[in-house]
């Protein structure tokens, strides 16, 4: 069951409560380089990011924000844009009121907002502009004052420095939220996050936040790493929390390789949500890995072609067939698990294993027809569209 948090409105999106888990990402390009960051934001949106964060860390970056957001809106990209502030956020928001006004949300890190007066000033600016804030701490930049306090409390040395740091991280964001409310920011203008780079630490911290607060939670590993390591770690950490009903918005933070697009982190986030049946973004294809029973080359070739076929048809078919995203397809290599998986799929193609001569198509778990191997791909494509047409009647 999803944790029932306070609902926060950010631009045209509602986060928390019973609302769907929202995907967000952050632009890598420097905000001063307006054309570069615009291109990157568009790519992230087109990949499926529903909110995008940009760094606002210099005067030039702050000056660029209104231009970037206005250009996005002119091109029809109407998603919330979040300003990420560290160290000099209060100064920049005061000096550039148009930036404070046009951003959809401010991200404030208690650990990098050095002076209490600066934090207070940012909250006052958020109140004046009717903006929500994410109070987002990181273990790598935990509030030093609270950390020192926790170290002094540990007189008997029963806790490790890591345990103390995690408690300081939790306390930091909770106390900051309480201070924001004390200043006058409404409860429904606050989102919390407390990120770590360790999966177990992440799960512990967010379980504690979920128990101790009612604010919506933004979850994700920070500095998760790249490639397989980053994907696996993020999937375990985020997936575990989402299964427990914890988490209202997510980001998969991946260190991309040279010339690799940051859109991959959005695609991974979508796959996490779809794997947990929390949201649907595309048809689901179940396929076996192949083994000594299968004619693996034929099996892999057809499975790949069907997957690519659905991707090429996606934009067209999403408009025509309302159930396209809910489509569940199984492509199996032989009769060992093929008929069984077919029972749970809308359409299934069971290819012949070693010594078997026919491929079989199933519809809604029932036998539809046998087909020749050389015709299996094209006949299955026809049956996919026939199925979608039948669902629209």
């Amino acid at each position: 069951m999803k944790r029932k948090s306070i609902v926060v409105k950010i631009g045209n999106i509602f986060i928390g409560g019973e609302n769907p888990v929202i995907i967000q990402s952050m632009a890598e390009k420097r905000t001063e380089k307006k054309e570069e960051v615009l291109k990157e934001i568009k790519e992230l949106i087109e990949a499926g990011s529903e909110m995008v964060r940009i760094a606002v860390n210099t005067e030039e970056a702050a000056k660029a924000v209104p231009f970037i957001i206005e250009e996005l809106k002119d091109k029809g990209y109407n998603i919330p844009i979040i300003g990420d502030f560290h160290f000099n956020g209060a100064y920049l928001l005061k000096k550039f009121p148009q930036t404070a006004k046009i951003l959809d949300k401010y991200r404030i890190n208690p650990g990098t907002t050095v002076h209490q007066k600066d934090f207070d000033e940012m909250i006052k600016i958020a109140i004046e502009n009717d903006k929500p804030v994410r109070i987002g701490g990181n273990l790598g930049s935990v509030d030093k004052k609270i950390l020192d306090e926790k170290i002094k409390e540990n007189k008997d040395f029963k806790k490790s420095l890591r345990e103390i740091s995690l408690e300081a991280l939790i306390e930091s964001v909770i106390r900051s939220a309480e201070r924001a409310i004390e200043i006058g920011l409404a409860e429904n203008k606050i989102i919390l996050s407390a990120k770590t780079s360790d999966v177990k630490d992440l799960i512990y911290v967010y379980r504690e936040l979920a128990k101790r607060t009612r604010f919506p939670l933004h979850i994700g590993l920070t500095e998760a790493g790249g490639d397989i390591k980053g994907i696996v770690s993020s999937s375990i950490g985020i997936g575990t929390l989402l299964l427990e009903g914890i988490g209202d918005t997510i980001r998969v933070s991946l260190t991309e390789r040279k010339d690799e697009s940051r859109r991959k982190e959005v695609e991974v986030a979508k796959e996490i949500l779809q794997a947990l049946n929390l949201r649907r973004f595309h048809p689901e294809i179940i396929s076996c890995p192949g083994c000594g029973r299968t004619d693996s080359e034929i099996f892999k070739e057809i499975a790949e072609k069907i997957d690519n076929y659905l991707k090429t048809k996606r934009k067209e078919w999403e408009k025509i067939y309302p159930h396209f995203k809910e489509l569940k397809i199984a492509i199996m290599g032989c009769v060992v698990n093929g008929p069984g998986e077919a029972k749970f799929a809308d359409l299934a193609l069971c290819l012949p294993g070693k010594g078997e001569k026919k491929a079989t198509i199933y519809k809604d778990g029932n036998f539809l027809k046998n087909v020749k191997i050389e015709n299996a791909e094209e006949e299955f494509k026809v049956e996919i569209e026939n199925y979608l047409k039948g669902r629209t009647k």
Side-chain angles (χ1 to χ4, degrees):
M1 181 183 293
K2 193 170 185 291
R3 168 179 170 266
K4 291 183 180 178
S5 65
I6 296 165
V7 176
V8 176
K9 187 174 185 288
I10 303 173
N12 56 356
I13 289 176
F14 291 90
I15 290 175
E18 298 297 325
N19 292 293
V21 178
I22 297 298
I23 295 170
Q24 61 178 275
S25 185
M26 182 173 181
E28 179 192 19
K29 305 298 182 187
R30 294 184 63 83
T31 306
E32 297 92 329
K33 297 181 178 180
K34 294 180 284 190
E35 295 302 329
E36 288 185 16
V37 82
L38 269 169
K39 181 182 177 185
E40 186 179 22
I41 293 171
K42 290 173 185 176
E43 287 177 355
L44 290 170
I45 295 170
E46 287 162 7
S49 187
E50 294 159 309
M51 295 194 293
V52 176
R53 185 159 38 111
I54 56 176
V56 187
N57 57 337
T58 66
E59 291 192 8
E60 288 303 311
K63 286 178 188 175
V65 169
F67 171 82
I68 290 166
I69 294 177
E70 286 164 3
E71 281 291 301
L72 287 169
K73 289 181 178 177
D74 285 346
K75 301 296 182 185
Y77 295 93
N78 294 310
I79 71 159
I81 301 297
I82 303 154
D84 192 71
F85 296 95
H86 300 274
F87 305 110
N88 59 355
Y91 166 76
L92 292 174
L93 286 171
K94 282 191 290 185
K95 183 160 186 178
F96 300 95
Q98 184 59 23
T99 294
K101 183 178 180 181
I102 202 167
L103 283 166
D104 292 287
K105 184 177 76 171
Y106 312 152
R107 185 277 175 102
I108 307 172
N109 183 344
T112 60
T113 308
V114 182
H115 302 291
Q116 183 66 54
K117 65 180 180 61
D118 291 331
F119 178 85
D120 291 357
E121 191 64 43
M122 292 182 77
I123 295 300
K124 289 174 184 176
I125 293 169
I127 294 168
E128 289 167 8
N129 288 281
D130 194 29
K131 302 295 180 182
V133 301
R134 169 159 71 93
I135 297 173
N138 284 346
L139 192 61
S141 55
V142 68
D143 190 316
K144 190 176 182 304
K145 296 187 295 294
I146 296 178
L147 180 59
D148 289 344
E149 173 191 317
K150 293 293 178 184
I151 290 172
K152 288 178 183 176
E153 290 175 2
N154 189 40
K155 294 176 183 177
D156 52 10
F157 300 101
K158 286 186 177 179
K159 293 181 180 179
S160 68
L161 178 59
R162 193 166 196 87
E163 290 173 318
I164 295 168
S165 298
L166 292 173
E167 187 58 36
L169 177 62
I170 295 164
E171 282 288 326
S172 172
V173 296
I174 291 176
R175 290 188 197 179
S176 295
E178 290 171 348
R179 175 59 182 164
I181 291 169
E182 185 181 319
I183 293 168
L185 189 65
E187 281 190 334
N188 66 352
K189 295 289 186 182
I190 299 172
I191 292 173
L192 298 185
S193 71
K195 294 186 178 182
T196 77
S197 58
D198 180 88
V199 173
K200 286 185 177 180
D201 289 347
L202 183 86
I203 293 168
Y204 167 75
V205 165
Y206 277 94
R207 283 174 175 167
E208 289 299 308
L209 283 176
K211 283 191 290 189
R212 300 188 201 182
T213 78
R214 292 181 57 242
F215 300 110
L217 300 176
H218 167 66
I219 64 174
L221 279 174
T222 187
E223 300 112 24
D227 203 39
I228 293 174
K229 188 267 182 188
I231 293 171
V232 171
S233 298
S234 293
S235 299
I236 293 171
I238 294 171
T240 299
L241 291 167
L242 291 176
L243 278 172
E244 295 180 8
I246 299 169
D248 302 285
T249 171
I250 66 172
R251 183 196 172 190
V252 175
S253 301
L254 299 177
T255 307
E256 69 267 23
R257 293 178 175 177
K258 187 179 179 181
D259 300 324
E260 185 178 55
S261 170
R262 184 160 277 195
R263 64 184 295 139
K264 180 193 271 189
E265 66 180 40
V266 179
E267 291 162 359
V268 173
K270 287 161 70 175
E271 291 302 326
I272 292 171
L273 293 176
Q274 179 140 332
L276 297 176
N277 290 321
L278 293 175
R279 294 183 64 183
R280 298 284 298 196
F281 299 96
H282 53 73
E284 182 178 353
I285 297 181
I286 299 161
S287 59
C288 72
C291 68
R293 272 190 50 82
T294 64
D295 191 337
S296 60
E297 293 308 311
I298 294 175
F299 159 69
K300 291 175 183 176
E301 183 180 331
I302 293 179
E304 184 178 355
K305 286 182 176 179
I306 293 298
D307 188 28
N308 289 335
Y309 174 70
L310 291 174
K311 286 176 181 175
T312 60
K313 289 288 187 179
R314 180 178 174 181
K315 286 187 178 180
E316 174 190 346
W317 282 3
E318 279 183 352
K319 295 175 184 176
I320 303 171
Y321 306 123
H323 300 289
F324 177 68
K325 289 181 183 179
E326 281 74 43
L327 190 64
K328 189 172 183 178
I329 289 173
I331 302 176
M332 307 301 291
C334 75
V335 296
V336 171
N337 292 324
E341 288 291 350
K343 291 177 183 177
F344 303 102
D346 299 317
L347 284 169
L349 174 63
C350 182
L351 295 164
K354 298 288 186 184
E356 298 155 10
K357 297 182 179 179
K358 295 178 182 177
T360 305
I361 296 177
Y362 296 85
K363 177 183 174 183
D364 292 327
N366 300 308
F367 170 82
L368 182 63
K369 62 181 178 180
N370 289 321
V371 294
K372 293 180 180 179
I373 300 171
E374 59 268 28
N375 299 332
E377 178 193 335
E378 292 306 318
E379 293 211 34
F380 196 56
K381 288 177 181 178
V382 170
E383 293 305 330
I384 290 172
E385 186 159 18
N386 286 343
Y387 187 87
L388 289 168
K389 286 177 180 176
R391 289 286 299 273
T392 59
K393 291 179 181 178

